[in-house]
Amino acid sequence: GAFAQVSCIVTEGDEPLAISWSFHGSDITSDLGIITTPIGSRGSMLIISSVGHRHRGNYTCKASNIAGTRSQAATLKVNGKFQVNIQGGTGSVFYSYVLVKYFILSQIFFIIHNFLVPPELIPLTFGKDVVDEGNFAQLSCIAMAGDEPLSVSWTFHGQGISSDLGIITTPIGTRGSMLIISSVGHRHSGNYTCTAKNAGGIQSETAVLRVNGINVFKLRTQEGVLMTIYSYKYL
C-alpha cells in the first residue's frame, strides 16, 4: 500500500538517448499499475502509487544511444499486511513474512488507528560524489510513509529556491517532489534540503552537490592540427 519510486538518470552520454524499463526482463504492462514518465531528455522515473505483492522483483532501466547500451537494475522487496477487525474498526497491520500473536497485532493496530504517522523520507542523493560542470543533476524527495495530506518543499543553503538559479521543482504525485538542474554550474554547489510535513510531524533530508569546473585549452601541434583539451577542477 505504500508509495515507491525509482529514477533512472543518464549523467553522461551523447543525445539522443532512448530510455526504457523492464520488470523481470519483460516490458511493463499497464495492468500492473506502474507509471513511467520522462525526466527531461536524459532520464525516466518509475512510480508505483500503491505497492502490492505482485510488484516485488527486479526492475531494470536501459539507456541506449548511437555509441552503445547500458543497464542498471534495482530490486523491490515488499512487506505484506494483515487485515484485522478490532472493536468494530478495520485496519492494516504490516508484517515481514513473520507470524505474530494476535494480541500484538491488536496493540499495533491501536497505535496506527489513533495516531497520525509523520513523514518518512528516502535519503537524498545526486548519485555521484562530484558532478561535472554542464552535466544534468536531479534529486527525488519521496515520503515512503506518513499520513496525507503532505506538503513537500525545497531549500538551497536554507533559503527558498529562486527562479533565476535555473532549477526546476515539480511534484511527484501527492507524496514527493523532484528537483532538476539541466546544466550544472558553480553557482549550484551546496546543500539542498527537502522537507516533508503533515499533521503528524516533519522530516528533512539534505544532499550536497559538488561541482567540477571545466578548463578548456586549445593547442596546435607541429603538424598544424588544432586540439581541444578539457580538464576538470573541483570548484
Side-chain angles (χ1 to χ4, degrees), residues 216-221 224-229:
V216 181
F217 303 93
K218 292 187 180 293
L219 301 175
R220 191 175 297 277
T221 66
V225 178
L226 184 64
M227 298 179 62
T228 302
I229 301 173

Side-chain angles (χ1 to χ4, degrees), residues 140-155:
S140 295
C141 180
I142 305 295
M144 289 292 291
D147 290 327
E148 296 190 26
L150 289 159
S151 66
V152 183
S153 60
W154 293 94
T155 58

Side-chain angles (χ1 to χ4, degrees), residues 5-9 21 39 44-46 138 140 178:
Q5 168 269 336
V6 60
S7 298
C8 180
I9 304 296
W21 292 92
I39 304 173
S44 178
M45 176 179 290
L46 182 147
Q138 172 263 341
S140 295
M178 178 184 297

